[in-house]
Amino acid sequence: MSLVELIGQADERGLAASGLACLDRCVALLGGDDEILRPLWAGLADDAGAEEWGERLEQVRGKLGGDGEFEAADGEPGQGSDSGSGSGEDEAVLLARRMLAAAPAERSAAGVRAWADACSVAALQIHRLLDPLKDAGDSVDARREGRTEGMSPLVAAELRRQITVLELLAGHGPAGLRPALEVSTEGRRVLRAVVSRRSRRRG
């Protein structure tokens, strides 16, 4: 199945894990450490965690810059900057901030479905912006629908990770959370290394 189809069939836990994993892989752009989202991951393991989702989310937002800063990052997570100015990395940071800003306060199926879908688009766009090699596709939407010809390596790897996370949760339920987190951790390290290399080149 394509990524779009997997998101369409995922349950509430799978959708929350998908959106959270996308954010987790991009957390380096927000200045967060590797453990910053761990409380949200832990809350996905049981139904009781759904009640604490909103509180834990606000704690994460506070650690990554405060509520006011995230309220200013309006727009959908998957939308790029329309200013026409700034570097690809600036736009990538904005997209990551929008992912966190748009996370629903309640972990309901309807809320996390829209968020997971938008985070999927945003994370792929972030990887496209930061990939040193050009992606030949017109948009990330084509990639999500299964048209993968001419994908750049960073985008291809992110697409595989998004699909894997959804398949793990669909196939194993709560037991799929640990391997899904491992997949996301690998992706976070890759993107952190990409950001670090870009920073050294600028320096």
Side-chain angles (χ1 to χ4, degrees), residues 88-198:
E89 190 166 336
D90 290 339
E91 186 172 351
V93 170
L94 179 60
L95 287 168
R97 290 200 174 280
R98 285 176 173 167
M99 273 197 276
L100 182 55
E106 294 184 7
R107 214 182 78 194
S108 65
V112 292
R113 186 175 302 280
W115 182 58
D117 193 60
C119 285
S120 168
V121 175
L124 285 166
Q125 183 64 13
I126 285 169
H127 285 74
R128 186 175 185 174
L129 287 165
L130 299 181
D131 199 328
L133 299 178
K134 180 176 176 56
D135 185 85
D138 293 333
S139 71
V140 298
D141 290 334
R143 304 319 192 186
R144 285 167 22 95
E145 294 167 359
R147 300 194 296 277
T148 58
E149 299 83 1
M151 275 201 300
S152 59
L154 208 60
V155 175
E158 171 60 14
L159 181 67
R160 285 196 302 271
R161 291 186 185 102
Q162 289 191 25
I163 290 172
T164 299
V165 166
L166 286 160
E167 289 178 339
L168 284 167
L169 270 295
H172 304 286
L177 285 169
R178 182 177 292 276
L181 178 56
E182 292 172 356
V183 168
S184 190
T185 298
E186 176 195 10
R188 186 193 326 126
R189 289 171 179 162
V190 169
L191 197 64
R192 195 180 290 278
V194 169
V195 172
S196 178
R197 284 196 298 270
R198 289 172 66 96

